[in-house]
Amino acid sequence: VCSSDLGASKRAKALQRALKDRFKLLLTATPLQNSLMELYGLVSIIDEKLFGDEVSFKINYGGKPTPASLAILRDRLRPICLRTLRKDVQAAGHINYTKRISSTFTFEPHDTEVKLYDGLSRYLQRKDTIAFGAKPNQLVMLVIRKILGSSTFAVADTLTSIIDRLKKLEPVVPEDLADIDTAEEIAEEWAADDEDVEEAAEPIDPEKLRAEIEELTGFRDLARSIRSNAKGEKLVEALAGVLDDIESKKGQRKAVIFTESVRTQKYLFDLLSANGYQGQIALMNGQNKDATSVAIYEAWKARHAGSDALSGSRTADMKAAIVEAFKNEKTILIATESGAEG
């Protein structure tokens, strides 16, 4: 069960109705992500009366947690929730996890990157922006900060979308954040949060609007002018040594690189292809419409034609094809959140 599907969404409520009179056992590896309401959604599938209605749950547990409120919440969950930790599984001897050997690499952003990050961060911290209003949705701000921290290539197009919205006097919408693979789930949580927020529209000062558009355009143009990211340069510098180290420990010469941004994924693909890894890279994201992925998929379908390896679902089969290509042929897999799910 993917818990992100079980918040205050239409899918969750439809699932709850469909399973109302059935015996239920829910298994999840990631019970909570962004909202405690996901816990409410999960529990409601099992017992819709345990926490009462959503309003009561938010009143009792939705604020800043205290030791007392957390203790009460754990006690309420105890009869229906069993949480098995990794250490418990290891102690029981059921699974021998691969030992993780971590390495941390530091880098210094270029001056232009620092200027962009600091300036846009100050803008996002303001409470008087037209784009986000006096009470900005915290989920939206979190996503934009993720894009900002990902790469200058990722944030440039996002800023263009926000500027276009401002020019039309329209609010920012989830589609403007489509660079993040989980945009559909974000949109559902966004809508759920906005149900509780009703703001009277205030007249917009034309001069303030012009100044904000000019400010964001300056950030966008600065982002577009940056052709080299220090983080990317550090990746190229460190990757060969990491692969050599893996090989010296009798491992396969392979690496998985995670990024939450589809645009950053494309940047990394081009960067690594230009620095000795051309033809050795597979991508995994929510769409996989790029030429490399399509070629991998078509070859995989031809190879498995007539077998039960083909599920009939393009999404599932594409993921299987990408995984197989990485396992047998490719050196590097660059994955978005799609690669972390399953």
Side-chain angles (χ1 to χ4, degrees):
V1 175
C2 178
S3 62
S4 58
D5 290 342
L6 295 175
S9 68
K10 292 179 180 178
R11 280 180 296 177
K13 291 170 182 175
L15 184 62
Q16 184 176 344
R17 287 193 298 269
L19 298 176
K20 185 173 182 180
D21 297 321
R22 303 281 183 174
F23 176 83
K24 296 170 282 287
L25 171 66
L26 306 186
L27 304 176
T28 178
T30 53
L32 298 179
Q33 292 184 37
N34 296 318
S35 169
L36 197 61
M37 293 309 294
E38 292 178 357
L39 176 62
Y40 176 84
L42 282 167
V43 171
S44 296
I45 296 293
I46 299 292
D47 182 353
E48 60 183 323
K49 297 179 180 178
L50 185 71
F51 285 130
D53 58 29
E54 291 183 26
V55 174
S56 299
F57 181 81
K58 286 180 178 179
I59 291 172
N60 290 325
Y61 307 108
K64 187 175 181 180
T66 65
S69 67
L70 289 175
I72 293 170
L73 182 58
R74 291 192 190 100
D75 190 59
R76 294 285 295 277
L77 288 171
R78 192 168 289 114
I80 66 166
C81 178
L82 173 64
R83 188 179 180 200
T84 305
L85 302 177
R86 176 185 291 240
K87 64 181 181 181
D88 300 326
V89 176
Q90 285 180 301
H94 295 308
I95 297 177
N96 292 319
Y97 288 99
T98 300
K99 182 181 179 182
R100 295 184 181 184
I101 304 171
S102 63
S103 299
T104 301
F105 300 94
T106 60
F107 68 95
E108 289 295 330
H110 300 311
D111 291 345
T112 48
E113 292 180 271
V114 174
K115 182 180 178 182
L116 174 65
Y117 188 89
D118 289 348
L120 192 48
S121 290
R122 284 193 295 270
Y123 169 82
L124 293 172
Q125 288 169 352
R126 294 210 314 257
K127 302 297 184 184
D128 64 341
T129 63
I130 298 172
F132 301 103
K135 294 182 179 178
N137 184 297
Q138 294 305 310
L139 185 60
V140 178
M141 305 304 280
L142 174 64
V143 173
I144 293 176
R145 285 194 170 280
K146 284 183 176 183
I147 295 172
L148 173 61
S150 183
S151 70
T152 56
F153 303 93
V155 80
D157 286 345
T158 302
L159 286 172
T160 297
S161 296
I162 296 172
I163 292 166
D164 290 343
R165 290 283 175 189
L166 278 174
K167 288 178 178 178
K168 298 175 185 176
L169 298 182
E170 295 175 348
V172 177
V173 297
E175 288 73 19
D176 298 323
L177 310 179
D179 181 38
I180 297 296
D181 231 4
T182 52
E184 183 181 342
E185 295 165 14
I186 292 167
E188 287 186 352
E189 293 187 46
W190 190 335
D193 288 347
D194 282 351
E195 287 176 3
D196 301 327
V197 179
E198 292 185 10
E199 290 186 40
E202 295 182 4
I204 295 175
D205 179 352
E207 186 60 28
K208 182 179 178 183
L209 176 64
R210 184 200 61 76
E212 186 165 330
I213 291 174
E214 187 176 299
E215 181 181 15
L216 289 174
T217 301
F219 291 140
R220 192 270 313 277
D221 292 346
L222 176 59
R224 285 180 173 175
S225 73
I226 299 171
R227 308 312 310 160
S228 178
N229 282 185
K231 187 161 51 172
E233 293 172 354
K234 190 64 177 184
L235 173 64
V236 171
E237 177 190 323
L239 186 56
V242 169
L243 293 171
D244 289 342
D245 190 42
I246 293 169
E247 211 168 24
S248 72
K249 294 179 170 67
K250 310 302 180 185
Q252 295 187 64
R253 193 175 180 81
K254 294 181 183 290
V256 181
I257 299 171
F258 279 104
T259 174
E260 291 190 276
S261 162
V262 177
R263 294 180 186 122
T264 298
Q265 184 186 48
K266 174 65 167 59
Y267 154 67
L268 291 173
F269 178 86
D270 293 340
L271 177 70
L272 293 176
S273 294
N275 284 275
Y277 298 96
Q278 187 167 7
Q280 301 179 47
I281 306 169
L283 302 178
M284 185 180 289
N285 55 56
Q287 300 297 322
N288 278 111
K289 293 180 179 179
D290 60 283
T292 300
S293 297
V294 171
I296 289 173
Y297 179 54
E298 294 300 329
W300 179 86
K301 283 199 300 182
R303 202 161 49 246
H304 294 284
S307 75
D308 59 2
L310 281 77
S311 71
S313 163
R314 184 188 183 278
T315 302
D317 288 349
M318 175 63 81
K319 183 172 281 191
I322 298 296
V323 169
E324 186 176 286
F326 177 54
K327 180 179 180 182
N328 297 332
E329 306 163 26
K330 307 296 184 180
T331 300
I332 297 167
L333 174 64
I334 308 177
T336 62
E337 188 71 17
S338 178
E341 296 176 352

